[in-house]
């Protein structure tokens, strides 16, 4: 069984996807880490994440072990990720890894939950369940702002909001696999939901398929 969880940054999709995987004992893949990893590889090599050749070369030599690097969680990695993610050669290089993870989940698990932007539209258009998790951009920016302050990182709300709007815009408008709601996706708006309510809303269509 393959469960696709798509949506913009700080929508709650990662939290929901991880909980679904735990609940069902499925494998979980945060596909944002793939693009973050490629972005960081390009930066480490002194390249420009918007340069298609540099980014594609990095993607083609991508080592999944890099996904454990804590630097991938930072905002620098997020911005570089959204730039390399717009390059078709990068997406092509990441496609097979994601498909094989879903088709043959590690550790003999019976299913996989993948979260990202294009899982239900491009990676697994025939996923068993597709969820699109969203929330108002102001709510998402507030969540990220709080998270940064809690981590002890300096943060200015207006700046976080602007970065998020720019990233959303890049993700929605790119020509290859833009972030979009699959026609058969269940949309969950978490603006006014707590984690538990959002998780229950996500489990509803999954239980119907089991
Ligand atoms: O989800 P996360 O914030 O880690 O993703 C970072 C960036 O990677 C996104 O802004 C998006 O540009 C890109 N991404 C993507 N497709 C995915 C997952 C992430 O294009 N499936």
């Amino acid at each position: 069984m393959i469960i696709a969880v798509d949506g913009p940054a700080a929508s709650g999709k990662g939290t929901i996807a991880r909980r679904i995987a735990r609940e069902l004992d499925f494998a979980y893949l945060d596909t944002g880490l793939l693009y973050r990893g490629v972005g960081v590889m390009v930066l480490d090599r002194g390249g420009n994440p918007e340069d298609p050749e540099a980014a594609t070369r990095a993607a083609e030599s991508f080592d999944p072990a890099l996904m454990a690097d804590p630097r991938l969680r930072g905002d620098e990695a997020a911005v570089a990720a959204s730039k390399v993610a717009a390059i078709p050669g990068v997406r092509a290089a990441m496609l097979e890894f994601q498909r094989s993870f879903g088709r043959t989940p590690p550790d003999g698990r019976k299913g996989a939950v993948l979260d990202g932007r294009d899982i239900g539209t491009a990676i697994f258009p025939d996923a068993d369940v597709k969820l699109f998790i969203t929330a108002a951009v102001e709510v998402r920016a507030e969540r990220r702002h709080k998270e940064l302050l809690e981590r002890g990182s300096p943060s200015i709300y207006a700046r976080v909001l602007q970065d998020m709007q720019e990233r959303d815009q890049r993700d929605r408008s790119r020509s290859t696999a833009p972030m979009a709601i699959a026609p058969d996706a269940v949309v969950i708006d978490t603006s006014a939901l707590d984690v538990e309510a959002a998780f229950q809303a996500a489990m509803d269509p999954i239980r119907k398929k089991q």
Side-chain angles (χ1 to χ4, degrees), residues 25-28 101 104-111:
D25 197 27
F26 280 8
Y28 166 65
F101 185 96
T104 321
D107 308 320
R109 295 228 157 80
K110 300 229 161 5

Side-chain angles (χ1 to χ4, degrees), residues 6 16-17 19 25 28-31 33 46 51-52 71 80 88 96 99 115 122 125 144 147 157 169 185 190 207 209:
D6 290 305
I16 293 172
R19 264 197 78 177
D25 197 27
Y28 166 65
L29 181 64
D30 171 357
T31 66
L33 290 178
D51 171 3
R71 283 184 307 159
E96 203 36 53
R99 288 204 173 141
D115 86 40
R144 181 54 49 84
E147 203 180 282
Y157 172 76
Q169 180 55 26
T190 66
R207 290 198 177 101
K209 285 273 174 156

Side-chain angles (χ1 to χ4, degrees), residues 3 25 41 68 73 85 94 117 130 137 147 150 153 158 191 208:
I3 302 174
D25 197 27
M41 279 174 79
R73 309 275 165 195
M94 293 300 148
R117 301 289 187 292
K130 298 180 187 178
V137 69
E147 203 180 282
E150 276 163 19
S153 311
S191 302
K208 285 183 187 140

Side-chain angles (χ1 to χ4, degrees), residues 9 13 30-33 35-36 78 81-82 85 91 98 115-119 167 171 174:
K13 66 178 190 310
D30 171 357
T31 66
L33 290 178
Y35 301 95
R36 286 170 181 257
S82 79
R91 304 204 74 86
Q98 297 172 79
D115 86 40
R117 301 289 187 292
D118 64 335
I119 308 301
R167 190 141 74 95
D171 288 347
R174 65 178 177 226

Side-chain angles (χ1 to χ4, degrees), residues 1 6 8 23 29 40 42 57 67 87 89 110 120 130 138 140 143 148 157 159 166 168 201 204:
M1 185 176 195
D6 290 305
E23 177 82 11
L29 181 64
V40 166
V42 175
R57 236 181 292 124
M67 289 196 281
I87 297 165
K110 300 229 161 5
K130 298 180 187 178
E138 294 78 9
R140 294 188 285 114
R143 285 177 188 161
L148 288 168
Y157 172 76
R159 181 69 201 278
E166 282 173 12
D168 282 359
D204 205 42

Side-chain angles (χ1 to χ4, degrees), residues 162-195:
Q162 194 191 339
D163 282 356
M164 202 159 275
Q165 282 165 330
E166 282 173 12
R167 190 141 74 95
D168 282 359
Q169 180 55 26
R170 251 199 310 276
D171 288 347
R172 274 195 208 104
S173 61
R174 65 178 177 226
S175 51
T176 312
M179 174 171 71
I181 305 177
D184 50 348
V186 174
V187 179
I188 301 172
D189 187 325
T190 66
S191 302
L193 298 181
D194 63 18
V195 173

